[in-house]
Amino acid sequence: MAVAFFATGALADRNDPDEISADLPAGDLTGMILVAIGNLVAGSGFACSGWTEILNADGNVASHLGVLWRRVDGSEANPTTFDLGGSGGGSAVRILALSGCLATGDVVGVVGGDGHATANVTATAGTLTPPVDGCGVLFIVTSQDALTVRTCSGYSGTAPTFTEVVDSGVDVGAIGLRSSIAAALGVQTTAAATGARTATLSGVPTENQCVMVAFKPAATALSGAESFFFFNRRQ
């Protein structure tokens, strides 16, 4: 089974220094991987008990990108509350669910270099090299602007080819901060470097941040003949 997008919860926003709560995606999430994406203000934390950090990084000026993951085990709170460390403010968070991922252990194969740019319509994420064939590569893009929600209009490259799965924004806490969260998913069939990739925003934001993350696929069971060869060649 290939890594695939399953569903997303609603985009949550709040003007609070301490915490923000976001809904889980709807549907049967048994065994799936949840990915929480936070478009936050600089200096924020982004944490939650039972979740593992993928990235917590400030941008150039006033933004912060936080990304966490957890494997569904039935103990998840809905909504889930994330700790902003007392340094939050205008925050937007969205939770995605991915299917077809590794069933046990660390599902994150590798994290690419995070990109951040001021007053630039192009978001550029650093390259990554998946550790195994068939990893699902999630390209995450956030932006902040004082006037307009900026959405994504395209993702570069073909290995993998990205398909957008979420793309929306909000006037955070009605304070005049327009924050957006977009993400696209592609399956890298071989464990080869993706190269740096870009996403094009619908207009020039105050700031953008982005990153690519490779999620390991579920283990493939060997057939009878393959299993016989695999084990007997080690005798």
Side-chain angles (χ1 to χ4, degrees):
M1 175 186 287
V3 177
F5 171 73
F6 177 74
T8 178
L11 180 63
D13 70 283
R14 188 177 186 185
N15 182 25
D16 186 289
D18 298 315
E19 63 183 33
I20 183 172
S21 297
D23 292 335
L24 298 180
D28 183 359
L29 303 175
T30 304
M32 292 194 185
I33 297 300
L34 300 177
V35 182
I37 303 168
N39 185 350
L40 316 168
V41 297
S44 293
F46 191 54
C48 183
S49 178
W51 293 69
T52 300
E53 178 180 306
I54 295 175
L55 179 71
N56 259 305
D58 281 347
N60 287 350
V61 182
S63 68
H64 182 96
L65 174 57
V67 187
L68 310 173
W69 78 271
R70 74 169 287 156
R71 185 175 286 109
V72 173
D73 62 10
S75 66
E76 299 76 27
N78 192 18
T80 293
T81 300
F82 298 93
D83 181 8
L84 303 178
S87 299
S91 305
V93 173
R94 187 159 220 163
I95 301 174
L96 315 182
L98 302 179
S99 63
C101 295
L102 189 69
T104 59
D106 190 355
V107 75
V108 175
V110 65
V111 182
D114 63 297
H116 37 85
T118 305
N120 198 320
V121 73
T122 302
T124 304
T127 185
L128 59 75
T129 302
V132 296
D133 296 349
C135 283
V137 180
L138 190 66
F139 190 164
I140 297 166
V141 182
T142 61
S143 69
Q144 295 183 359
D145 194 73
L147 300 175
T148 306
V149 169
R150 306 299 185 183
T151 56
C152 278
S153 59
Y155 302 83
S156 70
T158 57
T161 298
F162 288 108
T163 299
E164 191 169 73
V165 294
V166 295
D167 188 4
S168 63
V170 64
D171 181 353
V172 178
I175 62 173
L177 174 64
R178 276 70 177 186
S179 293
S180 66
I181 295 175
L185 182 68
V187 174
Q188 185 72 323
T189 55
T190 61
T194 62
R197 295 299 189 87
T198 63
T200 303
L201 297 167
S202 58
V204 178
T206 301
E207 189 165 11
N208 72 60
Q209 287 190 256
C210 60
V211 70
M212 292 190 292
V213 183
F215 291 89
K216 300 173 190 174
T220 302
L222 297 175
S223 69
E226 291 169 326
S227 178
F228 177 82
F229 174 75
F230 180 82
F231 289 110
N232 278 273
R233 66 194 288 256
R234 286 164 171 75
Q235 292 180 354

